[in-house]
Amino acid sequence: MATKSTSRYMAEYPTLAPELPGQNLPWLQQLRKAGLSKFSATGFPSPREEEWRYTNVSAIEKKLFAPVLDFVSTHPNLQLIDPSWLKGHQLEESWSVVLVNGHFSAELSVLGDLPDGVKVMSMAAALMALPDWLQPYLGQAVQPGEHGFVAFNSAWFTDGVFIHVPTNQVLAKPVQILNITTQADVLATTRNVVVVDCSTKTTLIETFVAATDDAYLSTAVMEVFVGENATLTHYKLQAESDKAYHFGGTYVKQAQHARFTHHNFAFGGLLARCDIHTDLGEASECELNGLYLGVKRQHLDNHTRINHLKPYGISREIYKGVLDDRARGVFQGRVIVAEDAQKTDSQMNNRNLLLSNDAEADTKPQLEIYADDVKCGHGVTVGQLDEKSIFYLQSRCIDEETARNMLTFAFANEMVDKIKIKSLHDQVLEHVLARFPQEGVQKEWL
């Protein structure tokens, strides 16, 4: 249902549209028009929609966030970024694509010595130079009608990243997409397309951070295509401003024997939603891991959907949440096994730890099975720290606060230890330890 906020965005769109990339591409204009039509009719998602029943985004509708239109290499937003601060977020030993307020920054990116045939470039540049490459992919892994945020992104995106890894290429370093927001009330809307061809091996890292403590809206949609016998590992670290609003959607299509692994770490934002949807081909594999840490009044929503479309697919999923104060965590995991997807093997697990009587965890695992020869299961737990374990540590001369921090850290660290890139592991570990401060613990485990 359209709202006053929807009308305000729609009224501003004619002024914005001429500044958006791809104005000369009829097929892209058709995609934008479809997104605009959907958003005009429905607005942002509502709790009346089943897959948004636990998340109310009305706070976003109360304010009109504005995109940066006149972004150039000398833009003052770049001058707001302290070099030492930037160095702390750009990962060592990686190619780095930097997006500032939804726009590619060549000055801040590090893209030298890319292997022959590998393309890593801004979406705006790709739409100008390689439109025929993008047309078979952009808008194909997810349709604008998925929900209001995808529709909004399809119509409003200002830039993004295009990555193509050709057949048989094994990248020696990961590619990092570093999203930075530098000012209040800004709208950072990006669209990424990642294509990894047959028999490739690629690691991708998405990072969302802010050089401001103010409120803003970040919407990022990534469409991923994993070729036959290819392997893609994707890490996402969302550590935005405490007042920020974030929607991030990753939509994946896996070919036969493709392997896709996703590690999702959600620490920032006042209200943040992350969608991970993947379609599995024959004998393809999918692994989804997640950790969300909520404090104060944070609302962190994680929505996953695994579509087993062909036989012999394997999927594994484990998400963990730690919630304190009045924070609320949401996990909605859905596994769909199609009629033709015989011999599917799927397991899903969600575990939540509540550190406060006011914290809340809403979890909804779903299995939809239309085949008769499958092995599927799911498990859910919501609870508090084991008092016996706390007492045991106290009996070893550890004070209660430290004991609680140690047990909470051990619960969360299982997910951190899955990170295979040292610089990223250390960065995520720093965020986790910041939530459970205790000098002795930090010295022992850092």
Side-chain angles (χ1 to χ4, degrees), residues 262-267 288-294 300-304 316-324 328-332 348-355 360-363 379-383 385 406-418 428 432 435-436:
H262 190 273
H263 303 270
N264 180 32
F265 298 94
F267 303 148
L288 305 183
N289 301 302
L291 175 65
Y292 45 100
L293 306 180
L300 303 176
D301 185 352
N302 298 276
H303 187 283
T304 69
R316 295 289 183 269
E317 180 173 7
I318 177 168
Y319 265 66
K320 284 188 169 187
V322 181
L323 305 165
D324 202 356
R328 184 177 184 183
V330 178
F331 173 80
Q332 296 187 82
M348 173 171 47
N349 197 303
N350 175 228
R351 298 172 63 191
N352 296 276
L353 184 60
L354 304 182
L355 304 182
E360 180 179 344
D362 297 294
T363 180
V380 170
T381 60
V382 178
L385 290 171
M406 291 176 67
L407 292 171
T408 306
F409 177 86
F411 176 85
N413 194 49
E414 177 189 355
M415 311 312 296
V416 180
D417 276 348
K418 293 179 180 291
V428 173
V432 174
R435 296 294 175 97
F436 319 118

Side-chain angles (χ1 to χ4, degrees), residues 86 89-90 96-99 176-180 205 207 209:
L86 177 65
H89 293 285
Q90 278 185 307
S96 177
V97 187
V98 179
L99 300 171
Q176 180 190 23
I177 302 175
L178 177 57
N179 298 269
I180 303 173
I205 302 166
T207 309
V209 294

Side-chain angles (χ1 to χ4, degrees), residues 113 155 250 262 269 282 315 382 433-434:
D113 301 321
T250 302
H262 190 273
E282 183 174 351
S315 66
V382 178
L433 286 170

Side-chain angles (χ1 to χ4, degrees), residues 291-309:
L291 175 65
Y292 45 100
L293 306 180
V295 295
K296 299 178 182 177
R297 291 182 175 271
Q298 279 186 287
H299 184 108
L300 303 176
D301 185 352
N302 298 276
H303 187 283
T304 69
R305 185 189 304 161
I306 300 174
N307 295 315
H308 285 271
L309 302 177

Side-chain angles (χ1 to χ4, degrees), residues 224-230 252-260 277-286 306-315 336-338 340-345:
V224 180
F225 302 84
V226 188
E228 184 175 348
N229 206 40
V252 187
K253 288 191 175 294
Q254 298 180 234
Q256 186 176 16
H257 296 286
R259 293 171 293 278
F260 174 71
H277 296 179
T278 182
D279 295 341
L280 277 71
E282 183 174 351
S284 57
E285 300 178 18
C286 169
I306 300 174
N307 295 315
H308 285 271
L309 302 177
K310 299 293 183 180
Y312 301 103
I314 299 174
S315 66
I336 304 171
V337 182
D340 294 335
Q342 304 293 345
K343 304 294 183 181
T344 289
D345 183 353

Side-chain angles (χ1 to χ4, degrees), residues 32-336:
R32 289 195 185 276
K33 183 178 179 181
L36 194 66
S37 177
K38 168 70 175 179
F39 183 74
S40 175
T42 64
F44 291 115
S46 162
R48 289 187 294 272
E49 300 175 41
E50 180 61 28
E51 295 189 345
W52 289 80
R53 63 181 297 185
Y54 300 114
T55 299
N56 189 336
V57 301
S58 60
I60 295 175
E61 298 175 338
K62 295 177 181 178
K63 192 171 187 63
L64 184 67
F65 297 93
V68 175
L69 297 181
D70 56 344
F71 190 92
V72 293
S73 60
T74 57
H75 198 280
N77 283 312
L78 298 181
Q79 301 171 17
L80 297 175
I81 301 174
D82 181 81
S84 61
W85 180 88
L86 177 65
K87 185 177 180 181
H89 293 285
Q90 278 185 307
L91 298 174
E92 300 175 0
E93 297 300 318
S94 70
W95 292 289
S96 177
V97 187
V98 179
L99 300 171
V100 181
N101 296 333
H103 293 270
F104 171 74
S105 170
E107 293 77 12
L108 301 182
S109 299
V110 180
L111 293 173
D113 301 321
L114 281 168
D116 291 341
V118 175
K119 295 179 176 63
V120 180
M121 58 197 304
S122 82
M123 178 60 69
L127 287 169
M128 290 181 60
L130 304 168
D132 293 340
W133 283 70
L134 279 168
Q135 185 173 1
Y137 301 108
L138 190 58
Q140 299 305 307
V142 63
Q143 299 295 318
E146 176 70 25
H147 55 66
F149 274 110
V150 175
F152 183 84
N153 180 279
S154 299
W156 265 263
F157 76 86
T158 55
D159 206 344
V161 180
F162 172 56
I163 298 174
H164 176 238
V165 182
T167 300
N168 295 325
Q169 184 70 252
V170 177
L171 294 190
K173 299 189 297 186
V175 178
Q176 180 190 23
I177 302 175
L178 177 57
N179 298 269
I180 303 173
T181 308
T182 65
Q183 65 187 65
D185 303 331
V186 76
L187 171 64
T189 305
T190 57
R191 189 65 165 252
N192 305 324
V193 172
V194 178
V195 182
V196 293
D197 288 342
C198 302
S199 302
T200 59
K201 188 172 184 180
T202 307
T203 299
L204 178 65
I205 302 166
E206 241 188 323
T207 309
F208 294 85
V209 294
T212 176
D213 295 328
D214 298 301
Y216 58 85
L217 174 59
S218 173
T219 69
V221 170
M222 176 177 288
E223 299 184 85
V224 180
F225 302 84
V226 188
E228 184 175 348
N229 206 40
T231 299
L232 175 63
T233 302
H234 180 199
Y235 297 93
K236 178 182 177 181
L237 170 59
Q238 187 275 106
E240 304 230 49
S241 159
D242 289 343
K243 299 177 182 178
Y245 301 97
H246 174 91
F247 169 76
T250 302
Y251 304 91
V252 187
K253 288 191 175 294
Q254 298 180 234
Q256 186 176 16
H257 296 286
R259 293 171 293 278
F260 174 71
T261 302
H262 190 273
H263 303 270
N264 180 32
F265 298 94
F267 303 148
L270 179 62
L271 189 156
R273 160 87 172 214
C274 182
D275 284 6
I276 313 292
H277 296 179
T278 182
D279 295 341
L280 277 71
E282 183 174 351
S284 57
E285 300 178 18
C286 169
E287 180 181 351
L288 305 183
N289 301 302
L291 175 65
Y292 45 100
L293 306 180
V295 295
K296 299 178 182 177
R297 291 182 175 271
Q298 279 186 287
H299 184 108
L300 303 176
D301 185 352
N302 298 276
H303 187 283
T304 69
R305 185 189 304 161
I306 300 174
N307 295 315
H308 285 271
L309 302 177
K310 299 293 183 180
Y312 301 103
I314 299 174
S315 66
R316 295 289 183 269
E317 180 173 7
I318 177 168
Y319 265 66
K320 284 188 169 187
V322 181
L323 305 165
D324 202 356
D325 304 320
R326 299 182 66 85
R328 184 177 184 183
V330 178
F331 173 80
Q332 296 187 82
R334 187 178 175 193
V335 175
I336 304 171

